[in-house]
C-alpha cells in the first residue's frame, strides 16, 4: 500500500515552538496557567477560562481512540480519528502503521511523528499501542 504524502504544515509565531519540539521528537500541548486545563489545538487564549496565560507543556503521546473513520475510497486508504490524550484534550489525527480494519473506539494509541513534504517538520499521528 502506498504511503500518503503529508504536506508541510504552515508555521507561524504562535505554533513555531510546537513544530520546533516536533523536530526534536517531543510532543507539546498548550495548557492554561490560570485554570490548569490543557487544550488542543494550540492557541494563545484558553478556551475554558479565556485567560491569556497559556504555556507549552510536555505531553506523553499516549491516548485512546474516541472516534475513528476509515477512508477506503481514497487512492491510499487511511484512518482519521479523534484521540483523547492522557493529558485531557481530544485531537483530530490520523491512525497509521496498522490494520485499519482492526481499529476500535477505546483502543490505546501512542504518538508517532510522520515526515512531511519539502523538509517540513514531522506531523503528529498515532498508532495502536
Amino acid at each position: 500500500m502506498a504511503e500518503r504524502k503529508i504536506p508541510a504544515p504552515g508555521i507561524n509565531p504562535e505554533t513555531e515552538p510546537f513544530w520546533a519540539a516536533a523536530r526534536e521528537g517531543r510532543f507539546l500541548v498548550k495548557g492554561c496557567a490560570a485554570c490548569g486545563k490543557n487544550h488542543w489545538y494550540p492557541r494563545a487564549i484558553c478556551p475554558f477560562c479565556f485567560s491569556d496565560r497559556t504555556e507549552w507543556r510536555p505531553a506523553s503521546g499516549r491516548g485512546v481512540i474516541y472516534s475513528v473513520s476509515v477512508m477506503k475510497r481514497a487512492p491510499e486508504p487511511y484512518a482519521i480519528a479523534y484521540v483523547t490524550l492522557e493529558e485531557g484534550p481530544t485531537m483530530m489525527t490520523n491512525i497509521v502503521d496498522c490494520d485499519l480494519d482492526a481499529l476500535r473506539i477505546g483502543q490505546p494509541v501512542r504518538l508517532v511523528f510522520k515526515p512531511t513534504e519539502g523538509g517540513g517538520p514531522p506531523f503528529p499521528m498515532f498508532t495502536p499501542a
Side-chain angles (χ1 to χ4, degrees), residues 24-85:
E24 297 171 358
R26 297 182 301 116
F27 183 54
L28 303 177
V29 296
K30 270 286 187 124
C32 180
C35 72
K37 293 183 180 179
N38 295 323
H39 58 270
W40 186 268
Y41 60 92
R43 52 201 179 272
I45 303 296
C46 174
F48 301 106
C49 72
F50 306 109
S51 170
D52 63 355
R53 294 178 45 218
T54 61
E55 59 193 10
W56 292 103
R57 297 176 176 172
S60 67
R62 293 185 300 269
V64 296
I65 296 174
Y66 175 80
S67 175
V68 63
S69 190
V70 176
M71 307 301 160
K72 292 187 177 184
R73 291 188 171 197
E76 296 93 22
Y78 66 97
I80 189 164
Y82 280 106
V83 167
T84 301
L85 303 173

